[in-house]
Amino acid sequence: MALINENFLKLQAGYLFPEIGRRRRAFQKANPDAQIISMGIGDVTQPLAPAVVEAMKKAVEQMGLNETFKGYDDGGVGYEFLREAIRDNDYKARGVDIDIDEIFVSDGAKCDTGNLQEVFGLDNVVAVSDPVYPVYVDTNVMAGRTGGAAGQGRYEGIVYMPCTEDNDFVPEPPAEKADLIYLCFPNNPTGAVATKDQLAKWVDYARQNKAVILFDAAYEAFISGPEIPHSIYEVEGAKEVAIEFRSLSKTAGFTGVRCAFTVVPKQLKAETKDGRAVEVAPIWKRRHCTKFNGVSYITQAGAAAIYTDRGKKQIKETIAGYMANATLIRETLDKAGYTVYGGVNAPYIWLKTPDGIGSWEFFDLLLNKAHIVGTPGAGFGSAGEGYFRLTAFGRPENVREALQRIKEMS
Ligand SMILES: *Cc1c(COP(=O)(O)O)cnc(C)c1O
């Protein structure tokens, strides 16, 4: 009989969202008239920008004509027109010099953050924050870079860096040596952002320890504070030690369209066992082009439209709408006596559960008393216990109604 890859058997059940769904259905069944509002979704609700829709329509027309039809995107790394727009708008405009050869277009930051570990050896020590976006952890478990379950949803062999009120939800570099460090700012689930000084500490750590930072900037477009870096490459020396992930999913409502990109700078190197330094970018390119055949032309044409003047203005308006929700959630909860974090440079509000009750206990309370579904912090890691995530992606009328119910509850 064929042998299974036993690393997959180490994975603990995808527990969080199925359990939320189970409790929600049970409540709805017992209370068929209750109008449940979801503030737990990590998905956008607003439609694509008109500039994107027009560009995609035009691209479909082109695909239907002999003269303009396109087959495979040569090499699968993304059309030059899109990579140039990314280089100019996401990097050059912020004083960061990135070459289009360092940009790899893909169908999602989930895949990219999950796949990138493949080019690194299995003996690397992985460090993640706690709470964490589960993809970073699970893909390293699948690869065999960890031991078995270590309790509280953790795995042996991974360095967990607690993100708490004490460190403003931004971890310090660990005392132990880590080789592959996943950082996500603005953060999902805590909504925390890292300052340039905080990121600089990480870049220093990586340079001293010859480590690589895998920087997930999927929520970069939600940053409003002028002092907060949008890219880790705004920190001096980061190009030697960091890979950056970006996505159009939350930036431009592409969760159902699928387009993202990863930057692997030419300066970034890793070592062979015998101490020879090798460039990571050509190896990632080899991996990317072997296992992936590119994002559709129609999607890339739509993606490029977010970098036009009209597109920029339209996506900014949508994000401002989500952030108006975030502000309202934050301020209303604060007035109602809750301790709240996040929601300023990120679409996530991380609230402390009242009276020190457990995350799941608060979930049940909110569901039963206010008919609102959120996400228990403990589901993102043990340091998330005692916290609760609300998202700002809802429709404004639902957010207002939900907040009214929470006010009446307290
Ligand atoms: C939503 C999200 C992404 C984006 O994933 P896509 O595959 O591009 O849709 C990446 N990282 C984090 C932390 C996210 O929450």
Side-chain angles (χ1 to χ4, degrees):
M1 196 182 272
L3 298 172
I4 197 75
N5 178 346
E6 292 189 25
N7 291 319
F8 282 72
L9 305 181
K10 294 178 194 161
L11 289 169
Q12 300 171 64
Y15 164 73
L16 180 60
F17 290 100
E19 178 61 19
I20 289 172
R22 196 189 63 74
R23 293 188 190 205
R24 179 185 175 143
R25 282 190 301 277
F27 176 81
Q28 188 79 79
K29 201 170 166 205
N31 305 273
D33 296 333
Q35 297 288 321
I36 297 176
I37 297 178
S38 176
M39 294 182 88
I41 40 161
D43 197 355
V44 296
T45 53
Q46 297 300 307
L48 293 174
V52 170
V53 174
E54 284 159 31
M56 292 180 84
K57 278 186 182 165
K58 191 173 145 216
V60 171
E61 295 295 338
Q62 289 173 331
M63 291 296 275
L65 295 172
N66 252 320
E67 307 77 58
T68 46
F69 169 77
K70 287 179 192 298
Y72 289 124
D73 158 11
D74 187 28
V77 295
Y79 287 104
E80 282 188 13
F81 67 79
L82 177 56
R83 288 183 292 139
E84 283 165 2
I86 291 167
R87 174 197 64 196
D88 294 345
N89 293 281
D90 285 324
Y91 295 104
K92 202 181 268 176
R94 294 195 181 278
V96 176
D97 188 21
I98 293 288
D99 195 272
I100 65 163
D101 293 341
E102 299 171 303
I103 299 169
F104 299 86
V105 175
S106 80
D107 61 353
K110 187 183 208 176
C111 331
D112 286 349
T113 54
N115 289 332
L116 221 127
Q117 48 77 27
E118 278 186 31
V119 302
F120 294 104
L122 291 182
D123 294 335
N124 287 301
V125 175
V126 172
V128 297
S129 41
D130 175 7
V132 67
Y133 181 57
V135 176
Y136 315 146
V137 174
D138 289 0
T139 52
N140 277 290
V141 175
M142 291 172 186
R145 213 168 272 115
T146 72
Q152 294 187 305
R154 291 185 167 192
Y155 293 91
E156 279 163 12
I158 289 189
V159 175
Y160 290 90
M161 305 179 292
C163 297
T164 61
E165 284 174 299
D166 295 337
N167 56 19
D168 288 327
F169 305 98
V170 179
E172 292 276 328
E176 59 265 69
K177 191 174 168 326
D179 306 301
L180 299 176
I181 300 145
Y182 291 85
L183 295 177
C184 174
F185 293 110
N187 189 263
N188 175 13
T190 67
V193 282
T195 62
K196 204 165 173 180
D197 288 346
Q198 285 169 320
L199 288 183
K201 276 192 198 171
W202 275 106
V203 169
D204 284 347
Y205 173 91
R207 291 168 68 100
Q208 273 163 26
N209 291 280
K210 296 187 176 181
V212 172
I213 297 169
L214 300 157
F215 191 75
D216 186 345
Y219 295 95
E220 157 281 324
F222 292 81
I223 294 172
S224 55
E227 73 292 358
I228 305 294
H230 286 240
S231 164
I232 193 162
Y233 304 124
E234 290 176 52
V235 175
E236 186 84 30
K239 282 208 279 185
E240 283 161 45
V241 291
I243 289 169
E244 181 163 289
F245 304 99
R246 295 273 187 110
S247 171
L248 274 73
S249 282
K250 319 300 167 21
T251 304
F254 270 52
T255 51
V257 178
R258 313 302 307 141
C259 195
F261 61 92
T262 291
V263 176
V264 186
K266 286 173 189 157
Q267 293 95 320
L268 182 87
K269 292 189 176 149
E271 269 180 4
T272 60
K273 277 196 178 136
D274 55 12
R276 195 161 48 85
V278 293
E279 288 177 22
V280 175
I283 298 178
W284 173 246
K285 185 174 182 181
R286 187 76 164 81
R287 187 286 170 202
H288 189 78
C289 299
T290 299
K291 296 197 179 183
F292 186 66
N293 238 341
V295 174
S296 84
Y297 171 66
I298 299 160
T299 296
Q300 293 193 57
I306 75 162
Y307 296 106
T308 61
D309 288 342
R310 269 183 73 226
K312 275 184 207 170
K313 188 166 165 281
Q314 290 166 355
I315 65 168
K316 247 195 195 134
E317 278 165 15
T318 302
I319 288 172
Y322 292 135
M323 291 314 290
N325 288 341
T327 304
L328 190 64
I329 297 170
R330 216 163 30 79
E331 289 177 353
T332 310
L333 294 179
D334 185 55
K335 270 193 210 128
Y338 290 88
T339 304
V340 289
Y341 298 97
V344 178
N345 293 293
Y348 296 111
I349 287 89
W350 190 241
L351 73 95
K352 214 171 162 176
T353 57
D355 310 318
I357 65 172
S359 294
W360 281 105
E361 210 180 319
F362 186 69
F363 175 92
D364 289 334
L365 187 75
L366 208 58
L367 179 58
N368 283 286
K369 290 250 177 88
H371 309 168
I372 293 168
V373 172
T375 315
F380 298 101
S382 55
E385 179 57 282
Y387 290 92
F388 200 78
R389 190 190 78 172
L390 295 174
T391 82
F393 286 124
R395 296 184 193 281
E397 60 276 19
N398 289 344
V399 171
R400 276 194 298 273
E401 166 68 19
L403 291 172
Q404 188 56 36
R405 292 184 196 171
I406 294 178
K407 272 198 284 191
E408 284 161 11
M409 195 177 108
S410 42

